Amino acid sequence: MTDKERALGCVEALKKEYPDALCSLEAKDPLQLLIATRLSAQCTDARVNLVTPALFEKYPDLDSFCNADVQDIEELIHSCGFFRAKARDIIGMAQKIKSDFGGKVPDSIEKLTSLPGVGRKTANLIIGDVFKKPAVVADTHLIRISNLLGLVSSKDPYKVELRLKELLPPEESSDFCHRVVLHGRAVCVARRPDCGRCCMMEFCKYANAQKCAK
C-alpha cells in the first residue's frame, strides 16, 4: 500500500466515523474564529469556548477590538493562559486588519501570517474553515496521529503540513484535519491509543506493528 493509498483509506474511514467535520471552536464570523484560534494556543478549545462569549459580547466587532484596552482584554481572557501576549496580539491583529486589509480578515497564508500572533496553523484553519480552500492544520493531534499512521515521519509542523498536502485530496484536507482532532480525543488518545476501536486500524502502521485486532 502506497502512502497515498493509505491516506485515501484514512480519509474515507474518518468520513464514515465522523460525518460532521466541525471545528471545536465557537465563532460567528471570521474575526471571532481568528481570535478564538489565537486564544487556543496552549489552551483547550473547551476553555476558549467558556471565555469567548463574554469577550465577544463586550467587543462585538473589529473597531471595538482596535480601540480596546489591553488590560481589559487580559482580564477577560486570563484563564486561557499567556494572557498578556494573547491580549496584545488580539488588539494588534485587529488594528492591522483595519489598516492593511480594509477591515476584512485576509484570505491567504502569507497575509494571515503577517498578523501579530498568527502562525501557519492558525492561518490554515482560517483558510480552510472561512474561505473553503485546501488547508492542513498541523496541530498536535494531526502530527501525532499522522506519524502513527505512517503518513509522515516528522514532528515538524511545517514538514507535516507539506507532506499531507502531497497525500490528501485538496478538497478533503481541511475536513480530514478536523476529523483527526475528533479521533484523537475520542479514540487515538496520546498515552493510550485504543487501536481495537480505531476506524483506521487497517491503514495504520502503528496498529499493524502492535498486531492490534478489533
Side-chain angles (χ1 to χ4, degrees):
M1 183 182 294
T2 67
D3 286 347
K4 196 143 197 171
E5 290 170 337
R6 188 186 309 280
L8 290 174
C10 292
V11 165
E12 292 305 315
L14 286 174
K15 284 173 76 171
K16 291 178 182 177
E17 193 77 5
Y18 308 97
D20 298 322
L22 300 176
C23 178
S24 299
L25 294 168
E26 297 171 358
K28 296 178 180 178
D29 57 48
L31 178 64
Q32 286 191 0
L33 182 59
L34 182 63
I35 290 170
T37 307
R38 177 65 186 98
L39 290 175
S40 71
Q42 304 297 315
C43 180
T44 66
D45 291 354
R47 166 56 56 185
V48 173
N49 289 338
L50 291 175
V51 167
T52 50
L55 177 67
F56 295 149
E57 181 178 5
K58 188 164 186 180
Y59 298 96
D61 54 29
L62 183 71
D63 284 340
S64 60
F65 275 110
C66 288
N67 299 312
D69 178 76
V70 68
Q71 291 183 331
D72 188 51
I73 298 286
E74 288 175 0
E75 186 175 332
L76 286 165
I77 68 171
H78 189 278
S79 64
C80 289
F82 301 96
F83 59 93
R84 289 191 177 87
K86 291 178 181 180
R88 183 179 65 247
D89 288 344
I90 287 169
I91 294 173
M93 68 172 64
Q95 292 173 341
K96 190 172 178 67
I97 288 169
K98 184 173 183 178
S99 64
D100 292 13
F101 302 114
K104 302 290 186 183
V105 173
D107 63 352
S108 74
I109 296 290
E110 293 73 20
K111 291 176 181 177
L112 283 162
T113 53
S114 75
L115 300 174
V118 176
R120 291 190 68 86
K121 184 179 80 170
T122 296
N124 271 290
L125 180 68
I126 299 300
I127 289 296
D129 277 35
V130 173
F131 299 106
K132 308 304 178 185
K133 298 179 182 180
V136 172
V137 183
D139 75 340
T140 54
H141 288 291
L142 187 74
I143 293 169
R144 176 175 58 82
I145 292 174
S146 295
N147 273 276
L148 292 176
L149 290 168
L151 298 177
V152 302
S153 56
S154 174
K155 300 295 178 65
D156 180 87
Y158 185 58
K159 290 180 180 179
V160 171
E161 176 191 334
L162 294 184
R163 179 58 177 156
L164 289 180
K165 282 182 176 177
E166 294 175 355
L167 297 177
L168 296 170
E171 70 278 7
E172 299 284 0
S173 58
S174 182
D175 285 349
F176 177 81
C177 296
H178 285 316
R179 291 183 173 113
V180 167
V181 170
L182 295 173
H183 192 65
R185 290 171 179 164
V187 177
C188 191
V189 296
R191 295 184 181 178
R192 44 181 176 81
D194 192 350
C195 297
R197 291 178 53 219
C198 182
C199 62
M200 298 185 289
M201 188 174 68
E202 66 179 293
F203 308 109
C204 180
K205 287 187 176 181
Y206 174 82
N208 289 327
Q210 299 297 311
K211 296 181 170 57
C212 298
K214 285 188 178 287

